Amino acid sequence: MSTPIGNRLDISLRALEIFKTVDILLCEDTRKTKLLLDFYKIIPLPKLISYYEPVEEAKIPQIISWLNLDKKIGLVSNAGTPLISDPGFKLVRECVRAGVKVEAIPGASAVLTALIISGLPTDKFSFLGFLPKKEAKKIKLLSEIKYTSVMYESPFRLKKTLETLNQLRPKAQVVVARELTKKFEEIFRGTVKGILAKLENRHLKGEIVIVVAEKPLAANDFDVDNN
Ligand code: SAM
């Protein structure tokens, strides 16, 4: 079940209904999910059980046995869509193997939110997830970009990644989206070089998505600054 990536109003009516009807809600962080459920005055509250990466596999047999007893179980992450750089894939895979019905409750996700406001071609795109921390792996991935590519990056590594990108694809059009749907949302568009210049005296915090065009578009598309 998708939950907001910032603005709490970005949740579906269906998700709000289902919060009230599930027996168990698997949460990446039960405290964060409880805040969301309280904000929406969800009554009755489902039983909240923590389900985060290190315990994922160990919890699957128990979850499948509850499902076989006809318990209704939802899965949420801290923000956005579960399974997208968040826990859940292994559980869904095991549910499919066990013949348990899996339904998606779609909604917000940073990958599509960044892509659609990027102004870069959307007809085909790749999602690279979190960029690797190791420079050699990052270089390999960034030099193989096909289509518009969307990636998650930590604010602490953003400048280094842009510098790497500048060496590999100096003319690529890039968009850096920060704190999407939140009060301090910021979008930087331009060449990597142009964005690095804009960020020279800034120490960006918060959550970041980078979108890179496959190839440069027309020269006058570069370095537009229309935040
Ligand atoms: N499952 C989430 C989704 O559907 O987008 C992604 C979870 S992943 C652990 C967290 C990363 O997603 C952040 O480090 C950032 O790269 C990106 N992200 C999440 N929310 C964001 C936001 N409001 N603005 C920009 N990036 C965001």
Side-chain angles (χ1 to χ4, degrees), residues 5 79 81 84-86 109-110 130 152 179-180 182 207-209:
I5 57 168
T81 300
I84 305 302
S85 299
D86 265 337
S109 187
F130 276 104
Y152 291 165
E179 297 287 86
L180 287 161
K182 301 183 195 176
E207 299 195 279
I208 306 271
V209 183

Side-chain angles (χ1 to χ4, degrees), residues 6 8 19 21 24 26 52 54 57 61 71 73 92 95 103 118 155 159 172 182 185 189 194 201-202 219:
R8 276 183 163 171
F19 283 145
T21 57
I24 295 169
L26 304 172
Y52 51 94
E57 266 172 280
K71 295 274 182 220
I73 303 184
V92 171
C95 286
E103 281 183 76
S118 67
K159 281 192 190 172
K182 301 183 195 176
E185 174 177 301
R189 298 182 175 87
N201 296 316
R202 295 279 310 270

